[in-house]
Every structure is written in structure tokens, then in C-alpha cells.
Amino acid sequence: QVQLVESGGGLVQAGGSLRLSCAASGTLFRIDDMGWYRQAPGNQRELVAVIARNSSANYADSVRERFTISRDNAKNTVSLQMNSLKPEDTAVYYCNIKIASFGLDYWGKGTLVTVSS
């Protein structure tokens, strides 16, 4: 079955950096968009960044120029480099993949990022 495994979360001081990675396995069809979402306690889940197969990327305004998303189509992996972290970046970060032709949408279990002030 399809599985998404995230890694790289942890505790970091404000101004520091973290790199999140997500590996997808068990996919039988080409993956379209890959992205990262986050959810803080009491808040709704929000889009952080998304990247298409041609590496065209979109970012939330709050992370633009600080975060960079990338993907490896051959390995079915997506990463998020997070620099200049702020306390408001604290959240559980979720990996997401979409297979548009079949209407499929998959989520990872999430990895916790905590930024101290």
C-alpha cells in the first residue's frame, strides 16, 4: 500500500534551520503535485509549499524567501529546507502527494517542528 514517511522534525532555536524529508513508497502511478502542510494546536491545516513534476513551486506568503521545497521524481521524495525559523513556524508538518488522473490524495502521519524564542 502507499505510505508516506516524514523525517527531520525536532526542536530548534529561533533563527535556526531544519530540513524535512518525505519518502513515498508503494505508488503504482506517476505522482503529480507533492507538498508540505502544517497544523498548529487550535488552528486549521494550512499549505506551506507545493511543487509540481516540472519543479514549479508555490509558497505561503509567510514562508516565502525562508523555505525551499524540492523533489526527486525518480526516488519519489520531497524535501523542505527551512531557514530563519520563527516561533510561529511551530506546528506538525505533513507530507502530501496527489495522483490527479485517479483522484488520489495521500498524507503522511506528520513530524513535529518546535521553534523556541
Side-chain angles (χ1 to χ4, degrees), residues 1-4 23-31 34 73-76 97-99 104 106:
Q1 297 183 18
V2 175
Q3 289 188 323
L4 275 61
S25 62
T27 58
L28 299 179
F29 305 98
R30 188 185 71 176
I31 299 172
M34 307 183 78
N73 293 333
K75 296 181 178 180
N76 284 343
I97 65 171
K98 298 183 184 298
I99 302 177
L104 298 176
Y106 297 98

Side-chain angles (χ1 to χ4, degrees), residues 22 24 27 29-34 51-56 70-79 97-98:
C22 174
T27 58
F29 305 98
R30 188 185 71 176
I31 299 172
D32 294 303
D33 289 348
M34 307 183 78
I51 184 168
R53 287 189 59 83
N54 64 1
S55 293
S56 177
S70 60
R71 67 185 286 171
D72 186 326
N73 293 333
K75 296 181 178 180
N76 284 343
T77 59
V78 60
S79 298
I97 65 171
K98 298 183 184 298

